[in-house]
Amino acid sequence: MTVLTLERTVLPPEESLDKLVALLGPMGAEPTTTVSGPNGEHMVLPPEVFAVLRDVVEAMAHGQAVTIVPVHQRLTTQEAADLLGISRPTVVKLLESGEIAFERPGRHRRVRLADVLAYRQHRSTQRRESLDRMVEIADDGGMYERTATPKRTR
């Protein structure tokens, strides 16, 4: 078995993928399907593989290219920083403060991919809640009405 180590970008095909999108079903549908191999063998795809396949086909059907990048289950602090879109020193601060769990098998910290993704989801939820609260405060204070009236200049 070959392990994918390089990222790979695939452009959408020229022909329409609408039939394939319909065949794979809507996003909320039961995530399973059977595929046929080159030797005629049939196999049921695991739900995780099916979900990725459906996402890839959906993106390509909308004319988007798709990049496949393998990610290790254990990340370095730099890989975690790249995934979160923040600096490595900021990731180290998050690790040391206990916001993201980590292990230190030797001299270097290692972070589980699942923990980084959970932190990213938590941060996104917090950001959304904060923005909702700011809109609520602005609305309660009548700030939208005050800024909606244009100022007259002479």
Side-chain angles (χ1 to χ4, degrees), residues 9 16 28 42 47 73 77 119 143-144 146:
T9 299
S16 171
H42 296 289
Q73 292 289 325
T77 53
Y119 173 79
M143 296 175 97
Y144 290 116
R146 281 187 272 180

Side-chain angles (χ1 to χ4, degrees), residues 115-133:
D115 292 335
V116 174
L117 295 176
Y119 173 79
R120 184 171 69 176
Q121 180 62 41
H122 176 71
R123 186 178 68 174
S124 177
T125 301
Q126 282 183 319
R127 186 180 309 118
R128 193 172 22 258
E129 289 171 356
S130 295
L131 287 171
D132 288 347
R133 181 70 182 130

Side-chain angles (χ1 to χ4, degrees), residues 4 7 30 50 74-75 91 93 99 127 139 142 146:
L4 184 63
E7 81 177 45
E30 181 65 28
F50 179 77
R74 302 255 182 240
L75 307 175
V91 168
K93 288 178 187 174
E99 291 193 55
R127 186 180 309 118
D139 193 35
R146 281 187 272 180

Side-chain angles (χ1 to χ4, degrees), residues 13-151:
E14 294 292 324
E15 65 270 3
S16 171
L17 294 174
D18 293 341
K19 286 184 180 178
L20 185 54
V21 169
L23 181 68
L24 294 175
M27 293 302 275
E30 181 65 28
T32 60
T33 194
T34 304
V35 294
S36 297
N39 61 358
E41 179 184 0
H42 296 289
M43 173 186 257
V44 175
L45 292 180
E48 298 84 0
V49 174
F50 179 77
V52 169
L53 175 63
R54 184 172 38 206
D55 290 347
V56 166
V57 170
E58 185 77 29
M60 290 179 130
H62 287 94
Q64 297 174 320
V66 175
T67 301
I68 300 166
V69 181
V71 180
H72 297 287
Q73 292 289 325
R74 302 255 182 240
L75 307 175
T76 65
T77 53
Q78 185 60 59
E79 290 169 331
D82 293 344
L83 186 62
L84 294 172
I86 58 178
S87 70
R88 193 191 66 74
T90 301
V91 168
V92 171
K93 288 178 187 174
L94 292 170
L95 299 178
E96 296 300 330
S97 70
E99 291 193 55
I100 302 175
F102 72 98
E103 31 184 72
R104 189 177 275 179
R107 289 186 44 204
H108 302 287
R109 297 173 190 88
R110 292 291 180 256
V111 188
R112 288 180 349 130
L113 174 61
D115 292 335
V116 174
L117 295 176
Y119 173 79
R120 184 171 69 176
Q121 180 62 41
H122 176 71
R123 186 178 68 174
S124 177
T125 301
Q126 282 183 319
R127 186 180 309 118
R128 193 172 22 258
E129 289 171 356
S130 295
L131 287 171
D132 288 347
R133 181 70 182 130
M134 288 170 60
V135 168
E136 183 181 316
I137 291 168
D139 193 35
D140 290 347
M143 296 175 97
Y144 290 116
E145 289 78 22
R146 281 187 272 180
T147 57
T149 309
K151 294 184 179 183

